[in-house]
Amino acid sequence: MTERGASGIPKEWRQVACKDWARVRRQLKDGDAEAAGYFLHQSIEKYLKAFLLQRGWPLKKIHALHDLLSDAVTYQPALEKFRGLCERISGYYIAERYPPLVPSELTCADIERDREQARQLIHAMLPEERLD
């Protein structure tokens, strides 16, 4: 295990991921499903990168969660069961950042469901991580 990845300490990635995790809750409280989905994506991206950096992975400028998960699975094959979740959440990043071609049907209930599954993913990668 390395203390420092190509971009810095994995612990710092986890700290920022934790902030984004809290932002999901606030956006859900405000009823903003798109923003909650965006921050859920951001949090999972950073947790995946922290997990990978701890294992000596060279930092890549990448946002697709399913691609990050593919790298993570090489270290921990059991994470494969979260592929559908990562593919779904990757779509939330696009939905918030670009004008939709069709109106978004994303709901806070969708984000809450995926947030609970994301909690399982985070604990599978980083069992010691404390989430709200």
Side-chain angles (χ1 to χ4, degrees):
M1 184 183 293
T2 61
E3 175 63 23
R4 185 171 285 279
S7 71
I9 302 172
K11 180 181 175 185
E12 292 173 354
W13 282 85
R14 289 172 63 176
Q15 289 170 340
V16 177
C18 185
K19 286 181 183 179
D20 285 340
W21 184 261
R23 289 174 176 133
V24 175
R25 186 182 65 241
R26 288 194 301 272
Q27 295 304 320
L28 286 170
K29 192 175 179 182
D30 289 344
D32 190 342
E34 288 84 7
Y38 173 78
F39 284 114
L40 182 59
H41 174 278
Q42 292 295 291
S43 180
I44 297 304
E45 177 183 338
K46 291 166 187 147
Y47 275 124
L48 278 162
K49 287 180 178 178
F51 172 82
L52 290 164
L53 288 167
Q54 285 177 336
R55 284 149 182 82
W57 177 80
L59 183 64
K60 299 175 187 174
K61 189 173 185 179
I62 183 173
H63 302 292
L65 300 184
H66 51 280
D67 290 339
L68 288 166
L69 183 68
S70 291
D71 288 347
V73 165
T74 65
Y75 298 102
Q76 191 170 326
L79 296 175
E80 181 62 39
K81 70 181 180 180
F82 296 103
R83 182 155 309 274
L85 173 70
C86 288
E87 290 172 351
R88 218 171 28 255
I89 293 174
S90 281
Y92 299 164
Y93 177 78
I94 301 298
E96 176 61 17
R97 294 189 49 100
Y98 300 99
L101 297 174
V102 295
S104 173
E105 296 180 17
L106 188 62
T107 68
C108 287
D110 295 330
I111 303 303
E112 288 172 355
R113 178 200 65 228
D114 287 345
R115 186 173 181 256
E116 287 310 307
Q117 289 180 2
R119 180 187 308 273
Q120 294 172 22
L121 168 60
I122 294 163
H123 283 169
M125 291 186 298
L126 306 161
E128 69 284 1
E129 190 69 17
R130 298 181 60 111
L131 301 171
D132 60 0

